[in-house]
């Protein structure tokens, strides 16, 4: 069995104990010495597999199972072996839930405006106890965010399988993150198991924040010892630890090289405890181990480690023996893996009954055991506590923008649970990416990006999310032979896209122009590539006929080169080759096909638009209506309608203008009846008057005559109202006659010119 679970050393101590955690209620006041208020009290505890909330003997509330992506619940086969409910239930993840399943644990709002990250302690309890009756403990990994932190491999030791084990770690997340994924990845058909999860918010500056509190490091607990005492801490005793840390007894880790030890303790208060940023509890410094040897004694511990990792070692001291009253009375050296690292004089550093810590990073281990030895120089050595944390570098995660796009795509495509699309799409890199997804490192090496999505024939029934446009490194997209509906997103058509297959779905609408602008159209480069050696030459091959873009996978990384080249067998066999291809057949698409898209087939690529009755505009397809394309008015149609509307508007304006002018010049061209005969002319004109010489006078006489005729009214027999009406009518006639002045002048001049008027007053 290969087991790298960090706290395997707890097994012998878990026979009758159970890990719980501090509650979110106010914590007890710290030690006798003054200390800052504690701002990081957020915590919660999940009883995996339990349908109800419970409370343990230490007044900690355990929440019912929640925040999981899938799986099923069960109970251990020997419930009476475990003291408390949260150890008896579990959640397991069968293959029907996919290979990757997660708990997405919410984080509290950030309490610090100056820190770019938040830190938390996560503790898990894992037990098998033959819950499924198969007597086969599973093999699986556990990751936090994108980093593998615990590994379980079958077969487990019988005591571990039956009684389980606790593990904890300290990790960080960006301050803007609202949750942390804890994921389980199964091997073969083994279903991962988890019995409880606990999360505590801790000070972001704790444990040497300058080098370990960034988001690049996870501190995995490989041993936390309280010297001279038994197991204690939240869940083991009524003693509290603000960070939820539990402390193990040290007796099982002392080696045979140690001298006879003596456990010492005190009830006096210890100065410097429960203070930021680490908030180490006072109880840790109230017990210690020393040797019976007065001079030159030796205390040695041996901790199991993974030689591939570096470790952060924290040592805790307090001078709690009253016989040491001045500096120099107790001096000892600290040796780590045979190297003398420092000399300690507790009293000289902090005085008596005061906490003192020293830490060191251990690198370049050559074995799986870490030796920590205290060797007396003056008096006997003394130690209160030992902590050892593996420094696990964070794996790269998916670029946040692309992770958001993939989660939106998961929802819109209605990805089934069996595909295991949970947690980070690409990380951890030791695991497979989401089923049907291929990832690579970004060009600037800051994260992982999505390069391929292959979900053909998966029974998908949703639509394609618009956020697929955020996948700016997508090379190949295959969603063929599903039942996808809706329109093709306008953002689909990234510059990187080479292979697109959306055939045999129920997609509607038009083909967006963005697809025509993608790399589906031919791009030539000056490189010829051979996957066995990388780039081996420049220029174009002379024998090739297919124009392609090569995607060659070497050592897990994808490198793209564009070229027109021959395709020898060894390249075809060794490399993923994508001929430029756009397959949209078998849908309900309509409208004009962009010419750039159709040109793919003309220049050696592959394009299939068949079985789309509404498409038009390219050879083999019907012609498009002049004014209608893509299910809506074309640009030409919009222009034509615009011009037509403008023409109609102009005509209406012209007619209105003519009508107004005509009303303004609307007068009666006819002369009064009295002026239509010669006798009337003789009555109103003098005998010596020359019509053509005194036209104005003639008009004046005509007007006066008219007034005389129409004013012959018997006012005594007409009502006042009728007089008013007649006055108004006469006023209208007056205006009309004034307009006739110019008309008559023109008419008489015309008659004179034609010789139609023979006036008796004209000289012969």
């Amino acid at each position: 069995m290969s087991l790298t679970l960090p706290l395997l050393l707890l097994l012998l101590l878990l026979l009758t104990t159970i890990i719980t955690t501090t509650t979110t209620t106010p914590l007890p006041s710290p030690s006798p010495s003054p200390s800052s208020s504690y701002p990081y009290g957020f915590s919660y505890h999940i009883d995996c597999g339990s349908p109800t909330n419970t409370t343990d003997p230490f007044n900690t509330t355990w929440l019912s199972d929640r925040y999981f992506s899938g799986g099923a619940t069960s109970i251990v086969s020997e419930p009476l072996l475990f003291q408390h409910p949260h150890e008896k239930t579990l959640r397991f993840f069968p293959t029907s839930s996919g290979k990757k399943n997660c708990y997405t644990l919410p984080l509290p709002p950030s309490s610090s405006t100056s820190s770019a990250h938040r830190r938390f302690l996560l503790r898990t309890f894992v037990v098998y106890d033959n819950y499924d009756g198969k007597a086969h403990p599973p093999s699986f990994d556990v990751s936090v965010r994108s980093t593998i932190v615990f590994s379980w491999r079958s077969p487990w030791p019988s005591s571990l399988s039956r009684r389980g084990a606790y593990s904890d770690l300290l990790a960080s997340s960006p301050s803007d993150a609202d949750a942390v994924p804890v994921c389980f990845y199964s091997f073969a058909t083994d279903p991962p198991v988890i019995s409880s999860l606990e999360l505590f918010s801790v000070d972001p500056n704790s444990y040497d924040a300058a080098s370990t509190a960034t988001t690049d490091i996870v501190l995995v607990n490989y041993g936390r010892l309280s010297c001279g005492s038994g197991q204690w801490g939240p869940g083991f005793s009524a003693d509290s630890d603000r960070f939820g840390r539990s402390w193990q007894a040290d007796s099982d880790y002392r080696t045979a090289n140690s001298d006879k030890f003596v456990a010492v303790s005190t009830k006096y208060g210890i100065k410097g405890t429960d203070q930021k940023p680490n908030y180490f509890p006072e109880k840790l410094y109230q017990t210690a181990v020393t040797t019976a040897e007065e001079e030159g004694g030796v205390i040695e511990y041996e901790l199991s480690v993974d030689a591939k990792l570096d470790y952060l070692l924290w040592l805790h001291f307090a001078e709690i023996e009253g016989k040491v009253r001045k500096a120099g009375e107790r001096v000892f050296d600290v040796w780590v893996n045979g190297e003398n690292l420092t000399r300690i004089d507790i009293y000289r550093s902090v005085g008596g009954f005061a906490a003192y810590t020293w830490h060191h990073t251990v690198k370049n281990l050559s074995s799986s055991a870490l030796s920590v030895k205290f060797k007396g120089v003056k008096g006997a050595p003394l130690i209160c506590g030992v902590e050892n944390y593996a420094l696990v570098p964070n794996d790269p995660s998916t670029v946040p923008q692309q992770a958001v796009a993939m989660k939106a795509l998961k929802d819109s495509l209605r990805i089934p649970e069996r595909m295991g699309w949970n947690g980070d799409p690409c990380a951890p890199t030791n695991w497979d990416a989401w089923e049907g997804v291929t990832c690579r490192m970004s060009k600037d090496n800051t994260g992982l990006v999505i390069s391929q999505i292959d979900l053909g024939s998966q029974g998908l029934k949703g639509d394609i999310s618009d956020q697929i446009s955020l996948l700016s490194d997508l090379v190949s997209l295959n969603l063929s032979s599903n039942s996808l509906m809706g329109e093709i997103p306008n953002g689909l058509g990234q510059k990187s896209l080479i292979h697109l297959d959306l055939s045999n779905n129920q997609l509607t609408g038009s083909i967006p122009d963005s697809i025509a602008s993608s790399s589906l159209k031919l791009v030539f480069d000056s490189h010829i590539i051979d996957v066995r050696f990388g780039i081996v030459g420049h220029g174009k091959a002379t024998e090739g006929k297919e124009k392609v873009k090569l995607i060659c996978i070497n050592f897990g990384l994808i490198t793209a080169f564009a070229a027109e080249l021959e395709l020898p067998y060894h390249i075809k066999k060794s490399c993923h080759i994508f001929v430029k291809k756009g397959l949209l057949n078998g849908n309900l698409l309509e409208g004009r096909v962009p010419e750039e898209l159709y040109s793919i087939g003309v220049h050696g690529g592959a394009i299939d638009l068949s079985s789309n009755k509404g498409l038009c505009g390219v050879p083999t397809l019907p012609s498009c209506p002049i004014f209608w394309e893509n299910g809506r008015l074309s640009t030409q149609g919009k222009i034509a309608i615009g011009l037509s509307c403008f023409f109609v508007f102009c005509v209406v304006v012209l007619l209105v203008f003519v009508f107004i002018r005509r009303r303004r010049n609307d007068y009666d061209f006819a002369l009064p009846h009295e002026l239509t005969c010669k006798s009337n002319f003789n009555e109103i004109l003098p005998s010596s008057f020359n019509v053509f010489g005194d036209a104005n006078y003639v008009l004046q006489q005509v007007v006066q005559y008219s007034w005389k005729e129409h004013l012959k009214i018997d006012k005594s027999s007409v009502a006042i109202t009728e007089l008013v009406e007649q006055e108004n009518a006469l006023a209208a006639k007056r205006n009309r006659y004034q307009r006739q002045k110019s008309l008559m002048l023109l008419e008489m001049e015309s008659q004179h010119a034609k010789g139609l008027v023979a006036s008796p007053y004209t000289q012969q």
Side-chain angles (χ1 to χ4, degrees), residues 472-527:
S472 56
D473 300 273
L474 189 63
V475 173
S476 174
L477 175 63
N478 177 15
L479 299 175
S480 63
S481 301
N482 289 291
S483 299
L484 301 181
M485 297 180 290
E487 297 186 356
I488 300 175
N490 286 328
L492 181 60
Q494 297 83 342
K495 294 296 183 181
S496 59
L497 191 62
I498 296 170
H499 179 275
L500 175 64
D501 190 350
L502 303 178
S503 60
N504 300 313
N505 284 285
Q506 300 174 30
L507 299 173
T508 57
S510 60
I511 299 175
D513 293 335
S514 59
I515 291 182
S517 64
S518 71
S519 290
L520 285 171
K521 59 180 181 287
L522 294 179
V523 177
F524 296 100
D525 203 333
S526 59
H527 300 297

Side-chain angles (χ1 to χ4, degrees), residues 124 126 140-144 147-152 182-185 431:
T124 67
V126 174
F140 63 94
D141 285 341
V142 182
S143 72
V144 173
T147 305
I148 298 176
V149 290
F150 307 134
S151 294
W152 296 82
V182 179
C183 297
F184 304 82
Y185 187 85
W431 299 353

Side-chain angles (χ1 to χ4, degrees), residues 553-572:
I553 301 178
N554 294 320
F555 305 103
L557 299 178
I558 302 177
T559 310
F561 298 91
E564 180 183 8
L565 72 164
E566 65 179 296
L567 300 176
Y569 175 76
H570 68 275
I571 292 183
K572 290 183 178 179

Side-chain angles (χ1 to χ4, degrees), residues 24-40:
T24 56
T25 56
L27 295 166
S29 300
S31 68
S33 60
S35 64
S36 302
S37 61
Y38 180 65
Y40 307 102

Side-chain angles (χ1 to χ4, degrees), residues 211-227:
S211 61
T212 62
T214 66
T215 56
D216 295 330
I217 296 293
V218 177
L219 301 185
V220 180
N221 181 9
Y222 269 70
R224 186 184 293 121
L225 312 180
S226 177
C227 303

